[in-house]
Amino acid sequence: MSVAENLGKIRERIRQAALRAGREPDAVRLVAVSKTKPAAAIEEAFACGQQIFGENYVQELVGKKGELPPEISWHFIGNLQSNKVRQIAGMVDLIHSVDRLSLAAEIDRQWGALGKVCEVLIQVNISQEETKGGTSSDELFQLVRDVAKLPSLRVVGLMTMPPFFDDPEGARPYFRELRELARKLEAAAIPGVSMLELSMGMSGDFEAAIEEGATLVRVGSALFGEREYR
């Protein structure tokens, strides 16, 4: 199927999942994960009304942004190295993957130099998998308090990546725990911190994530087809 056809099916699945959970479908936004995909595929999705695209690699994001419509909202969703932050400063609307204070400090420095504020999500490694980034649940609150002190950053929510399961129900407890962590952080009323966004759920499990409170779902292969692995 075409990108346009896939996008229509994903939007309907998002709508149905939200309604099952008693939520407004508009409360859930699709992040089209476009890593390794050509600009033409992104343009096709954009022409169908898709606004947000997520990239994992700094160089790829910089290249695509230069050749695609300026109205696109770019999110950085991958592992971000501190020494590459400068290359995307001011270019993205949201960074999903802040997991350490040193990275947050560099983002603050680079956005501050532009006189801008960067909205970020704190990535939590709930599953404690060594292959995944993210702070631990135990260290989350202190990290949020420290990041909140940086003047050119604004913490607006959390992100997680659960382990892979053939059955999406296996991921549900991880989504539920992220939602609970967000609830506790909201109750902590840390100045400058909001829990507006929960970035969780990908092609294989985004419906379960929506039912557990996701506001951003990161969908790539279901939209663009299987990606090339690096």
Side-chain angles (χ1 to χ4, degrees):
M1 286 188 290
S2 69
V3 169
E5 290 172 317
N6 288 340
L7 183 58
K9 289 181 178 295
I10 291 166
R11 285 172 172 164
E12 179 58 20
R13 289 170 64 188
I14 288 172
R15 190 181 77 86
Q16 292 292 343
L19 292 174
R20 283 196 301 273
R23 303 177 61 197
E24 289 292 331
D26 288 348
V28 184
R29 292 183 294 160
L30 170 63
V31 179
V33 179
S34 49
K35 59 185 176 183
T36 77
K37 295 302 175 181
I42 298 172
E43 284 186 302
E44 184 178 352
F46 180 71
C48 297
Q50 176 59 30
Q51 294 287 320
I52 306 172
F53 292 84
E55 288 286 336
N56 286 58
Y57 309 114
V58 167
Q59 278 188 290
E60 193 175 343
L61 169 59
V62 171
K64 288 176 178 176
K65 184 172 174 62
E67 59 180 302
L68 286 162
E71 296 85 3
I72 286 178
S73 174
W74 295 99
H75 289 194
F76 194 85
I77 61 175
N79 177 47
L80 182 57
Q81 297 173 7
S82 296
N83 62 1
K84 293 189 176 181
V85 170
R86 180 180 58 82
Q87 296 177 52
I88 61 168
M91 292 176 54
V92 298
D93 293 317
L94 184 65
I95 296 175
H96 291 228
S97 48
V98 173
D99 60 359
R100 58 198 185 277
L101 184 57
S102 60
L103 173 59
E106 182 61 16
I107 296 169
D108 176 72
R109 190 169 77 86
Q110 296 296 342
W111 259 256
L114 299 173
K116 295 183 177 181
V117 173
C118 183
E119 293 192 341
V120 303
L121 306 179
I122 303 299
Q123 182 175 354
V124 189
N125 188 352
I126 293 173
S127 62
Q128 299 183 33
E129 292 177 279
E130 292 185 3
T131 56
K132 289 193 171 84
T135 188
S136 68
S137 300
D138 291 340
E139 296 174 343
L140 172 63
F141 284 73
Q142 188 58 54
L143 177 59
V144 171
R145 289 187 181 96
D146 291 339
V147 173
K149 297 173 185 175
L150 299 171
S152 297
L153 255 67
R154 183 168 297 117
V155 177
V156 297
L158 304 177
M159 184 269 259
T160 199
M161 294 178 64
F164 174 78
F165 295 96
D166 289 324
D167 182 351
E169 287 301 308
R172 191 181 292 273
Y174 298 89
F175 300 146
R176 191 172 295 147
E177 182 170 344
L178 192 73
R179 183 187 67 195
E180 181 63 15
L181 287 169
R183 187 191 67 78
K184 290 178 179 177
L185 275 166
E186 195 77 67
I190 301 168
V193 172
S194 66
M195 289 290 115
L196 298 174
E197 306 286 3
L198 288 180
S199 172
M200 55 189 194
M202 298 186 289
S203 289
D205 55 22
F206 69 84
E207 287 151 309
I210 291 169
E211 291 167 1
E212 295 300 332
T215 65
L216 295 163
V217 291
R218 311 179 304 272
V219 179
S221 59
L223 175 56
F224 294 113
E226 292 300 323
R227 68 182 178 89
E228 298 176 9
Y229 284 87
R230 294 189 173 187

